[in-house]
Amino acid sequence: LLLISSAFISSPFLCSSPNIRPGLTQGKVNCGLNDSAFLGVHFSDHRIKSNSGPLLISRKFSSTLASVQRLNVLTGIRAQTTATTSPAINRSTLEAKKTLRKGNVVITGASSGLGLATAKVLAENGKWHVIMACRDFLKAEKAAKSAGMAKENYSIMHLDLASLNSVRQFVKNFRQLGVPLDTLVCNAAVYFPTASEPTYTADGFEMSVGVNHLGHFLLARELLEDMKQSDYPSQRLIIVGSITGNTNTLAGNIPPKANLGDLRGLAGGLNETTGSSMIDGGKFDGAKAYKDSKVCNMLVMQEFHRRYHEETGITFSSLYPGCIATTGLFREHIGLFRTLFPPFQKYITKGYVSEEEAGNRLAQVVSDPSLTKSGVYWSWNKNSASFENELSQEASDAEKAKKVWDMTEKLLGLA
Ligand code: LMG
Ligand code: NDP
Ligand code: PMR
């Protein structure tokens, strides 16, 4: 039974579109268009393989998978129980053994940079099954493969944070898997430093704040319910922050500086046709919008902590992983910047950190038993030891956090 179940488990529950044309190597694959499609596979579709490679799963197969996964946890316990010679297996021993199952962690934007590096560390340490929540399925699959991640340690599910419908569909798809959620990492982000005009999400919100803050807010609010159900020893909700949103640092003082002002732009819907695309109501500035979105990320983490930590025991944390100057985050920046930025950070500010090292840091926040303190913004010193860092005045303003929370709920139709 164990063998059978691990054979099932080693097939990742990949999602893919049945409409993928053979030979298609790039492009969005929407795996969650509507309720009648499960992970992009219509309920009547029982094909297992597509020409393009990724495994397609039918509803029947996936529900089998889910029960087999639950079964695997149970059989794991049973196998260990029978192997134990001591008759004194009490309830707490069983409880402890039950926690030996792999943790399930959802990482948004795991198709590159920090998210991918973290997924790789967690997938390889044997304790985690990583669900890579990505907007570009094929890119994610290629990235996981070239990172050398073993199939049985990850799954890919479609998530486009620039669409609230996609976020809701992701949550539904995740729930249909029937596996517990132990940790959620809100990592994905976009940065438009050179844009002169705002671009918008499907729901009409300025893109940087729309993806980095609003999409993640909805996702985290929904998946909090799932994390509450988890029996894992520690549940964590991690939202990636940054030094550049903190004006108590040199980096946070490079103009344009983050400033949410009185939030009038957020209240107005972050759209120039009805108000302003910027949270503070000002003129569009892509670099500022990104930094503002990071302030929101850090405020929301603390507000989650205040509202839910005591009741749920979930650990809420944020972090600055270091300056990972080589990632795709700077893809929209001018060529000169992309060339000079890494050596500048390496040799002048010394704030540079490799993707691999940054991945280790975020993986630590996910998995290290000593980092369970909630409400913390983690940073690392030069020897890569973590410490609780101080946020800027604005990024730690509890009153502002509550306002951001309330306004965001309104915008998203949650209140
Ligand atoms: C701007 O990008 C956008 O225009 C704006 O809209 C917004 O998006 C903003 O915050 C984001 O980015 C353009 C960017 C120029 O603007 C700036 O950052 C302005 C500052 C530019 C300063 C250039 C200084 C060059 C002087 C170099 C001399 C070094 C002196 C040391 C300084 C010490 C400081 C503590 O972006 C660019 O294209 C410039 C690249 C900016 C990175 C900084 C470049 C430093 C060059 C260092 C070369 C590295 C060599 C390493 C070897 C060192 C050996 C020891
Ligand atoms: P990358 O651009 O490499 O990674 C960002 C990821 O987000 C990509 O996988 C990207 O997908 C994904 N993404 C973008 N838009 C969406 C969307 N609409 N829906 C779903 N996923 C999306 O940048 P980094 O790895 O550097 O950034 C990761 C995190 O680290 C961000 O939160 C960033 O703010 C933070 N950070 C980065 C620092 C740095 O120096 N690089 C410093 C401090 C914080 P795709 O692959 O399809 O483009
Ligand atoms: Mg910044 C200790 C100094 C330090 C650190 C840790 C960073 C991190 N930066 C520092 C200093 C400086 N930066 C200085 C002195 C300058 C002027 C030359 C400078 C410039 C600069 C630019 C133009 N830095 C930048 C940019 C960007 O476009 C990046 C950005 O703001 O993205 C929002 C960026 C960053 N510097 C950092 C980090 C971590 C970033 C990247 C992004 C992020 O917050 O995610």
Side-chain angles (χ1 to χ4, degrees), residues 75-90:
T75 48
I77 297 162
R78 230 176 278 148
Q80 285 159 15
T81 308
T82 43
T84 309
T85 45
S86 162
I89 298 165
N90 56 27

Side-chain angles (χ1 to χ4, degrees), residues 154-335:
Y154 73 92
S155 310
I156 301 170
M157 288 179 66
H158 183 262
L159 169 67
D160 183 355
L161 290 157
S163 156
L164 298 178
N165 265 344
S166 173
V167 174
R168 292 187 193 104
Q169 191 62 47
F170 175 86
V171 172
K172 277 188 193 158
N173 290 345
F174 178 80
R175 286 178 184 159
Q176 289 189 65
L177 290 174
V179 298
L181 177 63
D182 308 309
T183 289
L184 168 64
V185 181
C186 298
N187 160 79
V190 286
Y191 174 40
F192 304 109
T194 55
S196 51
E197 295 293 329
T199 46
Y200 293 97
T201 65
D203 307 273
F205 304 119
E206 186 282 315
M207 187 68 80
S208 339
V209 175
V211 168
N212 307 358
H213 165 56
L214 298 175
H216 276 138
F217 184 90
L218 180 61
L219 182 72
R221 278 289 305 274
E222 293 288 332
L223 290 182
L224 185 73
E225 295 311 311
D226 301 74
M227 277 193 285
K228 282 183 192 170
Q229 312 298 319
S230 154
D231 61 346
Y232 206 64
S234 159
Q235 295 81 35
R236 305 186 193 184
L237 168 53
I238 299 156
I239 309 178
V240 180
S242 178
I243 195 170
T244 53
N246 280 293
T247 50
N248 57 340
T249 64
L250 170 62
N253 276 288
I254 307 299
K257 291 203 242 177
N259 180 4
L260 307 187
D262 63 5
L263 306 170
R264 69 180 65 180
L266 182 64
L270 291 177
N271 190 308
E272 276 180 359
T273 58
T274 51
S276 166
S277 60
M278 299 295 291
I279 293 180
D280 65 359
K283 191 175 165 309
F284 176 73
D285 180 327
K288 181 173 183 300
Y290 169 88
K291 294 174 189 178
D292 288 350
S293 76
K294 289 285 119 183
V295 175
C296 290
N297 286 159
M298 294 178 281
L299 287 174
V300 163
M301 175 281 286
Q302 295 162 85
E303 191 63 18
F304 262 117
H305 167 71
R306 283 188 283 268
R307 289 178 187 235
Y308 295 105
H309 176 65
E310 220 171 276
E311 170 201 329
T312 64
I314 295 172
T315 298
F316 300 97
S317 23
S318 185
L319 69 152
Y320 166 56
C323 184
I324 330 160
T326 50
T327 70
L329 192 67
F330 311 104
R331 68 188 95 181
E332 305 280 340
H333 226 311
I334 56 171

Side-chain angles (χ1 to χ4, degrees), residues 191 193-194 254-256 287 291 333-334 336-337 340-341 343-344 347-348:
Y191 174 40
T194 55
I254 307 299
K291 294 174 189 178
H333 226 311
I334 56 171
L336 181 63
F337 177 88
L340 294 179
F341 192 55
F344 171 66
Y347 303 113
I348 299 176

Side-chain angles (χ1 to χ4, degrees), residues 115-132:
L116 177 63
T118 308
K120 181 178 159 65
V121 174
L122 293 172
E124 282 175 357
N125 81 5
K127 296 182 193 144
W128 294 91
H129 185 89
V130 182
I131 294 149
M132 301 165 73

